Amino acid sequence: NENIIIDVLWLSSPDQVDFPNKIKARITCYDCMDNYSMFYPALKKPEEILFSKADINFVSSNLLKKNAQKFSNSVKLVPNGVDHEHFSSVLNNDILMPKDLGIINRPYVGFYGNLGEWLDYSLIKNIANEVDCNIVLIGPVNALKAKEVIELENVYYLGQKKYSELPSYLAHINIWIIPFLDNDLTKAVDPVKV
C-alpha cells in the first residue's frame, strides 16, 4: 500500500538496493558486515548506491567505515560483540569434553567458523606437517581447499556444531587460531570469534 510508512527499513545486503524505492520508511539503515564486492564484484555499485541512500550506515570494521564514508556522511562503526554469558561458561572446570573431541589425542589446535575461501589452507597444512598436534576444524565447508586439508592424517573435521555446543569445544581445545588470508576481504572483517 502506497500510504503505509514504516518506522525503520533495516537493510543488510547490497542486493536490497531497490528496497528504499519500494518501501517508504522514516529512517533507512544499512548494516554492512562484510566487503561484499570481494565475494561478488557485481555488488560494488549497488552497495555504493545503498550507502548514499541510507539515512544511517552501520559497519563492523574500520576498513568498511573508510569505504562507506566515500558515499555517506552518516556512518557508525559498531564492531561485533560477544555473548559474554554464553561463552564465559568455559571458565567452569566442570564442562564435559565433547565425545567426538575426546577420541582425538591432545594437544589440539582448533578453528571454528566457515571453512571458506578466505582461510589460509597453506598455513593450516604447515601446522599439520610441522607441529606435533592434531588440528580440529568445526563448521560448514565452503571451499575446495578445505576438503584437501581435511584429508590430512592429523586434521579432524568435526562438522557443524550448534551454538550451544561451542563453549564445550572452547574449554577443551588447547590453542585456537583464526587462519585468515591477508587480503582486502579479511582486512574488512571483525571476526565473531572469542
Side-chain angles (χ1 to χ4, degrees):
N1 184 328
E2 292 179 8
N3 297 323
I4 296 176
I5 300 175
I6 63 172
D7 288 329
V8 178
L9 176 61
W10 192 277
L11 306 171
S12 59
S13 176
D15 61 5
Q16 298 168 332
V17 67
D18 291 330
F19 285 22
N21 298 335
K22 298 175 182 177
I23 302 169
K24 292 181 182 179
R26 289 182 178 84
I27 297 175
T28 298
C29 301
Y30 175 45
D31 184 11
C32 178
M33 296 180 286
D34 275 308
N35 191 347
Y36 295 111
S37 63
M38 291 299 296
F39 292 108
Y40 308 104
L43 293 178
K44 183 175 176 34
K45 188 64 178 170
E47 184 165 67
E48 293 170 357
I49 294 168
L50 191 52
F51 279 135
S52 66
K53 280 185 179 181
D55 296 302
I56 187 166
N57 294 282
F58 296 100
V59 295
S60 59
S61 74
N62 284 314
L63 188 65
L64 293 175
K65 180 179 179 182
K66 184 178 177 183
N67 184 47
Q69 287 175 325
K70 295 174 189 173
F71 309 100
S72 173
N73 293 325
S74 182
V75 180
K76 303 294 180 196
L77 175 63
V78 182
N80 291 313
V82 63
D83 183 346
H84 183 267
E85 185 177 332
H86 181 68
F87 287 104
S88 64
S89 66
V90 302
L91 302 175
N92 299 336
N93 292 329
D94 58 349
I95 290 184
L96 296 176
M97 167 90 70
K99 289 181 182 179
D100 57 353
L101 187 60
I103 61 171
I104 303 168
N105 292 327
R106 287 181 179 265
Y108 310 122
V109 172
F111 170 78
Y112 72 79
N114 193 326
L115 301 174
E117 296 294 335
W118 48 87
L119 292 185
D120 188 340
Y121 294 102
S122 295
L123 174 63
I124 297 171
K125 282 182 188 177
N126 286 343
I127 294 170
N129 292 329
E130 302 293 328
V131 180
D132 185 19
C133 67
N134 286 311
I135 297 175
V136 176
L137 302 175
I138 298 169
V141 175
N142 290 305
L144 291 174
K145 291 180 182 178
K147 293 175 183 174
E148 295 172 17
V149 169
I150 289 168
E151 293 175 1
L152 296 174
E153 184 179 339
N154 60 334
V155 174
Y156 293 84
Y157 174 64
L158 303 184
Q160 294 186 61
K161 301 297 175 188
K162 295 177 184 172
Y163 182 74
S164 61
E165 296 175 299
L166 291 178
S168 63
Y169 289 92
L170 284 169
H172 292 283
I173 289 181
N174 306 95
I175 299 171
W176 286 93
I177 59 173
I178 303 177
F180 285 177
L181 290 167
D182 185 11
N183 61 31
D184 287 342
L185 175 66
T186 60
K187 287 176 184 173
V189 170
D190 181 28
V192 289
K193 309 286 181 277
V194 177

